[in-house]
Amino acid sequence: MPYTTVAGERLFYALFEGDPSHKRNLVLVHGAGGDHTHWPAALRRLAGVTVYALDLPGHGRSAGRGRTSIEDYADTVHLFVQTLGLKRASLVGHSMGGAIAQTLALRRPVWLVGVVLIGTGARLPVDPRILEALQNNFEAAVDILCQWAYGPTAGQQMQRQGRQLLLRTAPTVMRGDYAACAAFDITDQVGDIVLPALIVAGSADQMTPPSCGEYLHSRIAGSQWVEIKGGGHMLAVEKPLEVAQAVAHFLGAL
């Protein structure tokens, strides 16, 4: 599993090298408190696509400090792509990662081909109970997040694993992530995104309901919309085949 150094920080990414003749690159950007393991094998191993599943700074196996703004995380993802020398790439972002992808789509770097926005919105308000618990009782905050993050079809084992993964994240990093989400709001700008976009939502998402994705779809001209029945906020983990199929179809049309 490879590492690279970006602006002095050693960042980890899981790599799956597809058929190089296709020259399709996909960068996966996880959500708040997550890491590359929040992406299922079905998405990390898309046929004919080289996939880079990044651990953001301070997350998973990456060194460095977590950020407190979406703009700063977007800077890091941009530098990551440049450091790897990718001339063209698409982004898949989940939740906070979707906010990062939207921010980069508004910047329109020359390498960015298209964006897939999963379980995200043009704004990401955070319930005050989560923010308070993150300050005072980290384990309680993780419990709340896990209660709200999964849909009705997610089993207890999946939720237990998700809790263990979140508990590995430093509380300071998690607090920074949710502060970044709470401050994110591009409702007045999202209509300026002109890149190809796929918006994917779970019908049972309690944290970013389908209405958040529907708003993105209504404002981003030419965007595609997929709603996956029964999926919660951790949509890619809960419904990996459905998500991978939607992403593969989108990439195939680019």
Side-chain angles (χ1 to χ4, degrees):
M1 293 294 187
Y3 287 85
T4 190
T5 299
V6 176
E9 294 177 318
R10 190 167 186 254
L11 302 185
F12 173 86
Y13 59 100
L15 174 65
F16 174 75
E17 298 186 77
D19 184 348
S21 65
H22 287 281
K23 297 182 180 178
R24 289 180 180 163
N25 298 308
L26 190 65
V27 178
L28 309 181
V29 186
H30 60 75
D35 61 31
H36 72 280
T37 61
H38 280 179
W39 297 110
L43 194 54
R44 284 189 277 152
R45 295 182 176 275
L46 288 175
V49 182
T50 300
V51 181
Y52 305 82
L54 171 66
D55 281 354
L56 291 169
H59 298 73
R61 301 184 192 179
S62 286
R65 56 176 181 83
R67 308 295 196 256
T68 57
S69 78
I70 299 300
E71 291 281 349
D72 286 349
Y73 275 131
D75 290 343
T76 296
V77 173
H78 175 61
L79 291 174
F80 172 76
V81 171
Q82 288 191 317
T83 299
L84 293 184
L86 305 183
K87 302 301 183 184
R88 294 172 63 82
S90 298
L91 287 177
V92 177
H94 169 243
S95 194
M96 183 182 79
I100 295 167
Q102 291 173 69
T103 299
L104 286 167
L106 286 170
R107 295 182 187 178
R108 296 178 66 182
V110 294
W111 55 264
L112 185 55
V113 177
V115 292
V116 179
L117 309 174
I118 301 176
T120 193
R123 55 189 296 265
L124 295 175
V126 181
D127 191 291
R129 287 171 288 182
I130 294 175
L131 295 175
E132 181 181 359
L134 284 171
Q135 289 293 335
N136 302 312
N137 188 331
F138 182 63
E139 288 199 19
V142 169
D143 287 340
I144 294 171
L145 290 169
C146 288
Q147 288 170 16
W148 294 349
Y150 293 91
T153 62
Q156 291 186 354
Q157 178 64 18
M158 180 181 293
Q159 295 181 50
R160 281 195 296 267
Q161 290 176 343
R163 183 178 186 276
Q164 291 170 358
L165 288 173
L166 288 179
L167 287 173
R168 295 191 316 201
T169 306
T172 53
V173 172
M174 188 88 83
R175 285 195 290 268
D177 285 358
Y178 278 93
C181 290
F184 177 72
D185 186 348
I186 60 165
T187 51
D188 294 334
Q189 302 166 261
V190 70
D192 294 332
I193 294 176
V194 295
L195 289 169
L198 167 66
I199 296 112
V200 187
S203 67
D205 189 337
Q206 300 179 72
M207 298 186 74
T208 50
S211 58
C212 297
E214 289 171 345
Y215 179 81
L216 292 176
H217 179 46
S218 71
R219 296 298 303 275
I220 302 175
S223 61
Q224 300 176 36
W225 164 253
V226 174
E227 182 175 329
I228 297 177
K229 185 176 181 181
H233 189 62
M234 297 303 295
L235 185 58
V237 175
E238 297 174 51
K239 305 288 185 179
L241 297 180
E242 292 93 329
V243 171
Q245 182 179 29
V247 173
H249 183 267
F250 172 73
L251 293 178
L254 289 179

